[in-house]
Structures are given as structure tokens and as C-alpha cells.
């Protein structure tokens, strides 16, 4: 089982993102330089022959990081909503379990009454059919 990663400090990441040069950024694969949308220098990476993966990563980070932060915040909100829904469902199930215990007790009272007086079964069935309460064990 893999360990759950620690939650990153989204506020700190957001602050660094907000402080950085506005994006989007673009990679110049000739000079391995990253520029902002106005053509201003942002960063330089190691010179390579052809497209530089580091320059591509750096350029895309300016738009990827804010999107990832927004998505992480959305997921945190959704998890909180689901946890709240789960708590409500657990309370509803607890209520249903109580109802089931009460019905079981009512069935037990009916069985006791039937075992004491088999001829009283007709009276009991009539009460159940009309929704009248089943008498308690002491006959009330």
C-alpha cells in the first residue's frame, strides 16, 4: 500500500504563483530561453540541440501550476461536501436501525400473544390490518 502524500501548502504555492511574471510563457528552443507573453526574459535553461524538455516544463509551469491549485481546491471542497453527505447518511441509517429494532420488538410481542392464545390470532390479524396497535405482552 502506498503512503498518502502530504497535503501541499496551497496558499504558499499560490503566493509564489501570484508573485511570478504573468503568463503564459513560451520556450525559445533556439536559445533555450523562456519568455513571457510580452517577449520579456523569464528564465534560461541548459542549451540543448532541439526542443529542451526543461524549457518546455518551465514555460508550461506558469499556466499548469494555477490550474493544479484550482483543481486541488475544487477537490478539497468536493471531499468536504461528500464527508458532510456521508455524515447525514450515517444519521439516517441509525434512525432506520432504531425503526427496525422497534419493529422487531413489535413482532416479538405479537408472537408472544399468539403463543398464549392461538384463537386470538384473528383479533391480532384484524388489529394489524386496520393499523391498530398490537397489545403489549401484559395484554394492554
Amino acid at each position: 500500500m502506498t503512503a498518502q502524500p502530504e497535503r501541499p501548502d496551497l496558499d504558499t504555492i499560490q503566493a509564489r504563483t501570484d508573485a511570478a511574471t504573468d503568463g503564459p510563457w513560451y520556450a525559445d528552443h533556439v536559445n533555450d530561453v523562456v519568455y513571457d507573453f510580452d517577449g520579456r526574459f523569464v528564465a534560461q535553461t541548459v542549451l540543448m540541440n532541439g526542443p529542451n524538455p526543461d524549457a518546455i516544463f518551465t514555460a508550461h509551469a506558469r499556466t499548469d501550476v494555477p490550474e493544479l491549485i484550482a483543481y486541488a481546491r475544487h477537490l478539497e471542497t468536493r471531499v468536504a461536501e461528500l464527508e458532510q453527505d456521508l455524515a447525514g447518511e450515517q444519521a439516517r441509517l441509525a434512525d432506520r436501525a432504531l425503526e427496525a429494532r422497534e419493529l422487531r420488538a413489535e413482532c416479538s410481542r405479537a408472537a408472544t400473544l399468539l403463543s398464549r392464545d392461538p384463537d386470538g390470532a384473528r383479533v391480532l390479524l384484524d388489529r394489524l390490518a386496520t393499523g391498530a396497535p398490537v397489545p403489549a405482552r401484559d395484554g394492554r
Side-chain angles (χ1 to χ4, degrees):
M1 182 173 169
T2 16
Q4 180 176 348
E6 288 188 34
R7 181 191 181 278
D9 183 348
L10 296 179
D11 292 333
T12 300
I13 295 169
Q14 183 70 57
R16 283 193 300 261
T17 301
D18 293 344
T21 303
D22 287 337
W25 294 348
Y26 302 97
D28 172 351
H29 298 297
V30 175
N31 299 312
D32 287 326
V33 174
V34 176
Y35 295 102
D36 71 2
F37 63 96
D38 287 329
R40 292 182 301 222
F41 172 83
V42 174
Q44 177 141 17
T45 59
V46 177
L47 290 172
M48 301 182 80
N49 269 339
N52 183 330
D54 292 337
I56 293 168
F57 175 82
T58 302
H60 282 275
R62 187 62 188 99
T63 52
D64 290 348
V65 169
E67 288 175 6
L68 289 169
I69 291 171
Y71 190 66
R73 291 187 191 282
H74 161 75
L75 291 177
E76 287 179 334
T77 299
R78 186 66 183 127
V79 166
E81 290 169 353
L82 291 172
E83 286 173 340
Q84 188 174 4
D85 290 349
L86 177 61
E89 283 300 306
Q90 288 172 329
R92 187 185 66 76
L93 288 173
D95 290 344
R96 295 300 306 253
L98 178 61
E99 289 174 24
R101 285 191 296 276
E102 290 170 352
L103 285 172
R104 191 175 306 123
E106 190 171 327
C107 288
S108 177
R109 286 192 303 272
T112 301
L113 182 62
L114 286 172
S115 68
R116 288 184 188 162
D117 182 10
D119 294 331
R122 185 178 323 269
V123 173
L124 177 62
L125 290 174
D126 288 342
R127 283 178 174 230
L128 291 172
T130 61
V134 175
R137 291 182 187 195
D138 60 7
R140 290 186 275 164

